[in-house]
Amino acid sequence: MSRRPGTPRLLRQLNDRAALELLLSDGPLTRAELGERTGLSKVTAGQLLARLEGRGLVAPVGEQAGGRGPNAALYGVVPSSAYVAGLVVLPDRVTAGVADITGELIAQIAVDPNGHGDPVRIVHNALQRVCQTARVSMAQLRACVIGTRGVVDPRTGDVRFSFDLPSWHEGVLAALSASLRRPVVIENDVNLAVIAEREHGAARGLSDFVLVWAGIGQGLGVMFGGRLHRGSSGGAGEIGWLPVPGEPLPVDVGEPQSGSFQRLVGGEAIAGLAAANGLTGGTISEQVAAAVADPSGANGDFIEEVAGRLAIGVAAVTVVLDPGLVVLTGDVGRSGGKALAVKVEEAVARICPSRPQVRVTEVEGDPVLRGAILAALERAREEVFTSTVDT
């Protein structure tokens, strides 16, 4: 593998990138503090800040009082130096958000696609709306990441299959990029939830964990070695198809509800289980939340059964991947909270030689949207932070 020579230009690029990352994570900082944390001299740190300030990437944001002499200027990243967008596309709702380069979410909207099937029109309209709300022009967006329920081909970036969004298929990615005049990324929704969980949730800073999405539909996200595992065709994590004891194998793989694990823990299954325990009214999430709030009598039996069913899928994943942490999310996972997570962990320990820790998500708001924003920020920062030195 060839190595890039340590030219002065390359070294300046590396130092600039390190400084910008520090200002984002630990800022604002003075010139002296930046020099200490990067190992640069005060003179070099001053030249670096002048260069970044000239690019419009950093600016003085205050002063730090010292002992003797004048106060030292505090520098921070200029939030308006770049913007990114994230979207979550569902059959009946599109959620869009815009964040500045620091990661601050400055606008979020939800729109009804009104039955429109054209992905380009749906995304374009949502982006226009959220950019107007944020008072940011679409031309200022450096990256756009879209989360969907579909299986995304890791080789092409296109949606390979989506039962809920049949109009999202091969060719949509190129059409979106051409319409928006900028690169667009489409990612599986559960994978984006994994990104959000690692940055803001129960798996903060961890390189290895899995996330189980428990709701009307089931999904699995895998983070190993600090990287998402998507599989050769993008189908890693389609846990609804997992064969389980007592459930027939699917006869039509084109029908997602026919997956064995989906039939065991999907929306219809949980609703039927609730009815069998005398629980009626409300959504399955509301039924789970009510049962957890008052776990006496039939409520307790209901939660034990839900936990036992989820544990079958978690145990199957555990004996193959042996994750130290399993995070529960999705409508059922969130509404069950810590109480459900504890019961799933106990049930897994009874049927599996390994006992991972099971925790409920700690991501606030829409985890898929937050993951989309984070993925877009990574791309935007890579572009903006590596173009600070003239050729």
Side-chain angles (χ1 to χ4, degrees):
M1 181 177 67
S2 62
R3 295 180 180 274
R4 299 173 68 186
T7 62
R9 178 175 180 272
L10 174 59
L11 293 175
R12 286 196 296 272
Q13 284 181 324
L14 295 174
N15 288 337
D16 289 356
R17 179 64 184 266
L20 287 165
E21 294 288 357
L22 274 172
L23 289 171
L24 282 174
S25 61
D26 302 341
L29 299 172
T30 65
R31 181 186 64 173
E33 290 172 335
L34 192 61
E36 291 173 3
R37 300 192 188 200
T38 58
L40 302 174
S41 68
K42 288 185 179 180
V43 172
T44 303
Q47 294 171 340
L48 179 153
L49 286 170
R51 183 166 59 248
L52 296 180
E53 188 173 3
R55 294 278 182 174
L57 295 176
V58 304
V61 294
E63 293 184 342
Q64 184 180 83
R68 297 180 179 178
N71 295 341
L74 285 165
Y75 289 86
V77 173
V78 176
S80 60
S81 58
Y83 296 93
V84 301
L87 293 92
V88 183
V89 178
L90 298 174
D92 59 347
R93 185 179 72 258
V94 177
T95 306
V98 168
D100 62 37
I101 196 66
T102 70
E104 181 73 22
L105 186 66
I106 57 177
Q108 178 177 331
I109 58 104
V111 297
D112 185 345
N114 294 317
H116 295 306
D118 180 12
V120 174
R121 181 177 177 182
I122 290 171
V123 170
H124 202 279
N125 289 346
L127 278 179
Q128 280 187 324
R129 288 274 303 277
V130 75
C131 283
Q132 288 172 355
T133 303
R135 298 183 179 179
V136 171
S137 72
M138 289 180 64
Q140 291 176 279
L141 298 178
R142 290 299 189 105
C144 176
V145 174
I146 303 169
T148 78
R149 291 177 179 172
V151 176
V152 179
D153 190 327
R155 294 164 295 187
T156 66
D158 252 320
V159 175
R160 186 166 60 84
F161 172 78
S162 177
F163 178 81
D164 293 322
L165 300 166
S167 61
W168 287 69
H169 47 65
E170 186 176 353
V172 166
L173 181 62
L176 284 169
S177 297
S179 172
L180 299 175
R181 299 180 181 178
R182 62 185 44 78
V184 176
V185 175
I186 303 174
E187 181 61 273
N188 173 265
D189 56 352
V190 179
N191 283 342
L192 292 176
V194 170
I195 293 173
E197 203 69 51
R198 188 189 183 199
E199 184 70 20
H200 299 300
R204 286 182 187 87
L206 295 183
S207 298
D208 303 287
F209 69 96
V210 300
L211 178 144
V212 174
W213 187 285
I216 295 177
Q218 315 309 310
L220 175 75
V222 180
M223 176 75 73
F224 270 154
R227 301 184 65 179
L228 280 168
H229 177 70
R230 297 178 174 86
S232 61
S233 65
E238 294 297 317
I239 197 175
W241 297 103
L242 182 73
V244 296
E247 293 291 338
L249 296 176
V251 295
D252 180 7
V253 294
E255 174 50 63
Q257 299 301 317
S258 66
S260 300
F261 189 59
Q262 173 65 29
R263 279 200 298 264
L264 184 69
V265 297
E268 292 182 7
I270 300 302
L273 183 61
N277 283 275
L279 305 177
T280 59
T283 65
I284 58 171
S285 299
E286 291 168 343
Q287 290 170 338
V288 170
V292 166
D294 179 17
S296 60
N299 284 352
D301 295 336
F302 171 62
I303 291 300
E304 289 286 351
E305 181 66 20
V306 171
R309 293 186 181 194
L310 287 173
I312 293 174
V314 174
V317 172
T318 298
V319 296
V320 175
L321 300 178
D322 191 22
L325 174 66
V326 176
V327 180
L328 289 182
T329 189
D331 293 341
V332 171
R334 280 178 172 268
S335 57
K338 182 178 179 181
L340 179 62
V342 169
K343 290 188 178 297
V344 171
E345 181 176 322
E346 292 172 347
V348 170
R350 291 194 293 268
I351 60 175
C352 180
S354 300
R355 179 171 179 167
Q357 183 181 13
V358 180
R359 297 175 61 185
V360 68
T361 179
E362 295 178 5
V363 175
E364 297 180 0
D366 186 333
V368 181
L369 181 63
R370 297 201 73 175
I373 293 290
L374 287 168
L377 281 169
E378 182 178 3
R379 290 176 174 273
R381 289 170 181 172
E382 182 65 29
E383 175 187 338
V384 174
F385 291 177
T386 55
S387 59
T388 60
V389 179
D390 293 322
T391 57

